Amino acid sequence: MTAYDGSAAAEDGAGSPKDGERVRRRRPGRFGAAVSVLLAAVLLFPQLVPNTLFRAGSLVETFLPWLGAPAALLLVVGLARRSPLAVGAALVPVAAWLLLFAPLVAGGVPGDGARLSVVQHNVSDENPDPVGTAQALAAPGPDLIAVEELTEEAAPSYRRALREAYPHHVAYGTVALWSRHPLLSDEPVDLRPAGVDENWRRGLRTTVRTPHGDVAVYVVHLPSLRITSQGMRTQRRDESARLLGARLERERAGRVL
């Protein structure tokens, strides 16, 4: 009887680790599934992320396209663990990402064939190679090239590098636009936050006469956010964004970029 009991205990003891292993194997599947569902919800409904603490909502929306990377990682982990639950759940954020961004990656949403290609870049006021930057921006052959942080010292280099392919040009302060198509008019757009002097010039509006009709084009450079011990400081950026929004509400052009 004693031997029988010991054998039974040994069997129980031998069985316990296997049960524990099964429990441990299930947990990553459940955890991965929960993360996948949360990630899909953020992709599809980013506005639900509150913007009160550290401007988390704005930060999430800024990096929304990059959430495809953790979605793919969750799928790979689920496949590696051979967890049907984790794999099935990971397919949800992957599908959400494809729904939102695959058309853009593939070259845009199909339209009527009237295309206007644009390159926009902050060229940096510390850029040591403005000519190389201008050539890189022109390499894809866009219709328009918009730049920010253009300094007075670097501006002639950009003009020389771009004037042959982009004969139409307008600049105001540290923002500028080069165009293959004629520019009909231009004007500054005042986006200065309170307390900023008149030397802060970061906005312009012009009308581009494209083969498909006129387009109002804005080139703007909002103030940068600042990360401090209290979180992200965005007051000046928010104020400029509100000024830009008010200006766009008054815009009468049918097509605005």
Side-chain angles (χ1 to χ4, degrees), residues 120-130 133 137 147-155 158 174 221:
Q120 178 277 140
H121 188 55
N122 184 320
V123 297
S124 176
D125 55 7
E126 299 177 349
N127 190 339
D129 185 16
T133 299
L137 295 176
V147 303
E148 301 83 38
E149 284 198 15
L150 181 69
T151 64
E152 292 183 4
E153 295 76 15
Y158 285 94
T174 59
H221 184 194

Side-chain angles (χ1 to χ4, degrees), residues 35-47 49 56-75 90 92-98 100-101:
V35 174
S36 295
V37 171
L38 179 62
L39 184 60
V42 172
L43 277 164
L44 294 172
F45 307 104
Q47 67 274 16
V49 179
S58 296
L59 192 63
V60 167
E61 292 197 12
T62 298
F63 289 96
L64 204 61
W66 295 100
L67 294 185
L73 179 61
L74 286 168
L75 181 58
V92 179
V94 169
W97 189 92
L98 290 173
L100 293 170
F101 301 111

Side-chain angles (χ1 to χ4, degrees), residues 116-119 134-145 165-166 180-181:
L116 184 71
S117 57
V118 182
V119 165
Q135 292 171 345
L137 295 176
D143 295 284
L144 306 176
I145 297 176
Y166 298 89
R180 293 184 182 274
H181 312 297

Side-chain angles (χ1 to χ4, degrees), residues 96-115:
W97 189 92
L98 290 173
L99 177 67
L100 293 170
F101 301 111
L104 301 177
V105 174
V109 179
D112 58 3
R115 300 289 295 273

